[in-house]
Amino acid sequence: MNRQIVHVDLDAFFASVECLLNPSLVGKPLLVGGAPGGRGVVSAASYEARARGVRSAMPMAQALRLCPEAVRVPPRHGTYGHYSRAVMALLAEYTPVVEQVSIDEAFLDLSGTEGLHGPAEDVARAIQGRVQAEHGLPCSLGVATNKLVAKIACSQGKPRGLVVVPPGGEAAFLAPLSIESLWGVGEATGKRLRALGIDTVGDLASWTEASLRSLFGEAGTQLFRAAHGIDESPVSPDRERRSYSHERTFASDESDVAHVRRTILAMSDDLAAQLRRDGTVAQTVRLKLRSRDFTTYTRQVRLEHPTDVADEICSAATALLEENWDRRSLRLVGVGVTDLLGHGGIQLSMFDEGVQRQRRLSQALDGIRARYGHEAITRASLAGNHSGGEDDLEDEP
Ligand SMILES: [Mg+2]
């Protein structure tokens, strides 16, 4: 029996909310993100801005060079969260099996709901119409027998798309797509595949699993399965853990940039080790700052691809620090990761080569720490760490 999986993704979500709240922005190139002077990055770009080559996570200064007439607005995370919850509640009307993957993205498993709501394609169309009519937001949907193909189908239809891949049509649907459209194939892996004459998913599908394994190791099997549109990972509404975080309260209020950065690096190291231990990867990094007057704020950034590598978590958190810290003394700094994904199926643990190397090194360090204790290896850059206080590991409901 085939599964009926729907992937829903709001189109240019933050930018769409801004347009909804200020209709004079509709149709203009719009950038949501921090100011270019403060090392701001693009959190979201409207399709008019994307047409000029702007991408999310790009430095704001670069985005404004590509598209000087763009309107920039600072992000309003609380507002986006409000719309996100409303849309997720709407999705839950169709099935309890909803897996929210990020603030604006979810998988639904509609298998067995046909008697109640009709075919998955009709449900997808109804959802698209209702999200627009009731919440004023455009979204795209992909319908397929698994998460991998549903997600790619959704991205192919953007914006305002609805793409249905019939059962048995998975490999044929993927075949003409560029190799980079497979989730997890980054720039370096893409280059390596293209050097082998593999430009499309169809080209990849003509390779045997054995030959891909001999070239890419374990990732070769995942490439092989992805190329054939195979993915058995379940839609998991109740992932046990939704986030990991560490916080450090400074013994005395801290204003030394170097020390705050070292503290962030140490916490990133620990978070990455926990992710690897639990076999999961995170797509969003959060930074929490509390100044001496107890003003507390949290900022987050969505990474281009999910990670369990300390350096990637650290550089995202450090960028958030640069962007958001007004240099007032800090009582507390925290780093967290969320949008957790398993390694299987759509979450191809097949990253670019540099990242692969870092992961292997990190895994080797995990092994040494497991045998000889955490203090056995300390990063050279942490050797001068003099912070006091306790680390808290908190679990979000
Ligand atoms: Mg989106």
Side-chain angles (χ1 to χ4, degrees):
M1 185 65 195
N2 287 310
R3 291 187 295 157
Q4 303 262 32
I5 309 295
V6 176
H7 182 253
V8 187
D9 190 358
L10 293 159
D11 298 330
F13 175 46
F14 296 174
S16 298
V17 172
E18 294 297 338
C19 288
L20 186 65
L21 299 177
N22 179 1
S24 76
L25 297 171
V26 175
K28 289 184 181 156
L30 174 63
L31 304 173
V32 181
R39 305 195 193 188
V41 295
V42 176
S43 299
S46 68
Y47 283 89
E48 291 79 6
R50 291 180 198 207
R52 305 284 294 276
V54 175
R55 294 290 174 266
S56 53
M58 183 180 270
M60 186 59 77
Q62 186 187 350
L64 286 168
R65 276 196 298 278
L66 287 168
C67 191
E69 74 278 24
V71 180
R72 183 192 69 84
V73 298
R76 293 186 271 183
H77 293 286
T79 306
Y80 309 145
H82 164 81
Y83 281 93
S84 168
R85 284 188 292 279
V87 170
M88 295 301 155
L90 186 156
L91 301 181
E93 291 179 33
Y94 293 91
T95 170
V97 193
V98 178
E99 177 180 343
Q100 185 176 350
V101 201
S102 72
I103 191 165
D104 71 333
E105 209 183 319
F107 289 103
L108 282 70
D109 188 342
L110 295 175
S111 311
T113 66
E114 184 151 4
L116 206 56
H117 299 296
E121 180 177 350
D122 296 356
V123 174
R125 189 163 290 114
I127 288 171
Q128 191 173 42
R130 286 188 59 197
V131 171
Q132 182 69 58
E134 296 172 26
H135 303 291
L137 295 171
C139 68
S140 297
L141 300 97
V143 182
T145 58
N146 63 52
K147 289 163 79 177
L148 170 76
V149 178
K151 184 175 167 83
I152 296 173
C154 176
S155 66
Q156 288 299 307
K158 279 190 155 292
R160 297 173 193 272
L162 170 55
V163 175
V164 180
V165 180
E170 295 83 2
F173 163 73
L174 296 177
L177 304 182
S178 80
I179 200 71
E180 289 82 6
S181 54
L182 281 186
W183 212 80
V185 174
E187 208 178 310
T189 309
K191 262 190 198 150
R192 220 177 136 196
L193 290 168
R194 285 181 184 273
L196 294 163
I198 301 173
D199 295 317
T200 65
V201 180
D203 296 338
L204 183 63
S206 69
W207 287 59
T208 63
E209 184 176 353
S211 49
L212 289 173
R213 277 190 79 96
S214 71
L215 287 164
F216 295 93
E218 226 171 280
T221 293
Q222 293 182 0
L223 278 170
F224 177 84
R225 290 170 61 83
H228 292 271
I230 301 167
D231 170 30
E232 277 141 28
S233 62
V235 176
S236 328
D238 301 310
R239 285 169 301 163
E240 284 166 30
R241 244 180 199 287
R242 301 224 168 243
S243 69
Y244 298 79
S245 64
H246 285 266
E247 296 183 354
R248 178 153 297 186
T249 305
F250 295 113
S252 56
D253 291 342
E254 190 57 61
S255 56
D256 175 10
V257 184
H259 182 223
V260 173
R261 284 167 166 249
R262 278 198 303 273
T263 306
I264 288 175
L265 176 58
M267 291 189 287
S268 303
D269 245 347
D270 290 342
L271 287 169
Q274 286 174 323
L275 289 169
R276 291 191 296 271
R277 186 197 62 205
D278 293 351
T280 184
V281 286
Q283 185 136 25
T284 296
V285 174
R286 276 188 194 150
L287 178 75
K288 179 174 174 182
L289 299 174
R290 178 172 296 149
S291 48
R292 60 193 295 189
D293 63 0
F294 283 89
T295 315
T296 305
Y297 43 107
T298 306
R299 293 290 179 270
Q300 64 179 46
V301 63
R302 189 168 155 79
L303 306 173
E304 208 177 314
H305 62 83
T307 190
D308 58 8
V309 171
D311 287 337
E312 296 194 311
I313 296 168
C314 182
S315 57
T318 307
L320 289 170
L321 177 77
E322 299 296 344
E323 197 181 322
N324 295 290
W325 186 25
D326 56 11
R327 296 294 189 267
R328 278 190 294 173
S329 295
L330 294 173
R331 289 188 62 85
L332 174 148
V333 61
V335 181
V337 289
T338 182
D339 292 346
L340 304 181
L341 308 161
H343 275 312
I346 185 151
Q347 296 92 25
L348 302 175
S349 64
M350 165 187 58
F351 304 111
D352 284 343
E353 241 171 276
V355 178
Q356 287 278 27
R357 213 173 305 121
Q358 287 182 17
R359 294 190 73 224
R360 284 195 296 272
L361 174 65
S362 305
Q363 280 159 356
L365 295 181
D366 291 345
I368 294 170
R369 283 171 172 165
R371 278 183 73 182
Y372 301 108
H374 190 272
E375 300 310 317
I377 298 177
T378 310
R379 283 169 179 265
S381 44
L382 296 183
N385 196 338
H386 58 79
S387 92
E390 289 283 296
D391 269 359
D392 298 315
L393 177 64
E394 59 184 27
D395 219 348
E396 241 178 52

